[in-house]
Amino acid sequence: QVQLVESGGGLVQPGGSLRLSCAASGTIFSINAMGWYRQAPGKQRELVAVITRSLSTNYADSVKGRFTISRDNAKNTAYLQMNSLKPEDTAVYYCNAGVLPLLAVPGNYWGQGTQVTVSS
């Protein structure tokens, strides 16, 4: 069993930055891919960024060049650095993890979500 807890969300002005963290606990050795998905009101949940244990990455086109995903395997933690934030980035951001090194589909474990609001 794996538990994921997100933190770092909040209210930020357009052009600002936030750093999200996802701390994993439980059967940590089973985790390979970790990633972030987001869901805005009235929209489907979508992939934001994914990183595998070997540090391969995949980003949504809408965040390339602005967001950076990273992980610290020793600390069992994944991060999402979000720069140049736009109002359309407003959503609930969910951490995700799975046992396979997949970059295009989510794993079976989800965090509770953290709200990111970009507004002036």
Side-chain angles (χ1 to χ4, degrees):
Q1 293 295 120
V2 174
Q3 295 79 44
L4 305 173
V5 179
E6 305 99 328
S7 62
L11 175 64
V12 65
Q13 295 183 6
S17 298
L18 285 173
R19 190 191 192 209
L20 305 183
S21 298
C22 175
S25 62
T27 314
I28 306 302
F29 65 85
S30 68
I31 296 175
N32 194 312
M34 297 187 71
W36 294 89
Y37 290 71
R38 67 186 182 187
Q39 187 166 24
K43 301 182 68 176
Q44 291 189 319
R45 189 172 298 186
E46 64 176 353
L47 182 148
V48 178
V50 179
I51 185 167
T52 67
R53 187 183 296 151
S54 63
L55 306 185
S56 296
T57 59
N58 185 36
Y59 294 91
D61 288 341
S62 60
V63 307
K64 287 180 180 177
R66 300 188 297 120
F67 292 8
T68 302
I69 190 170
S70 61
R71 68 191 292 170
D72 186 334
N73 290 328
K75 295 182 178 180
N76 304 315
T77 301
Y79 306 94
L80 185 68
Q81 179 66 47
M82 304 185 293
N83 298 326
S84 302
L85 283 162
K86 305 174 180 179
E88 50 263 45
D89 295 318
T90 296
V92 177
Y93 284 69
Y94 297 90
C95 185
N96 175 262
V99 300
L100 300 177
L102 302 178
L103 294 174
V105 296
N108 291 329
Y109 301 101
W110 293 93
Q112 81 286 354
T114 185
Q115 177 71 47
V116 172
T117 302
V118 184
S119 177
S120 59

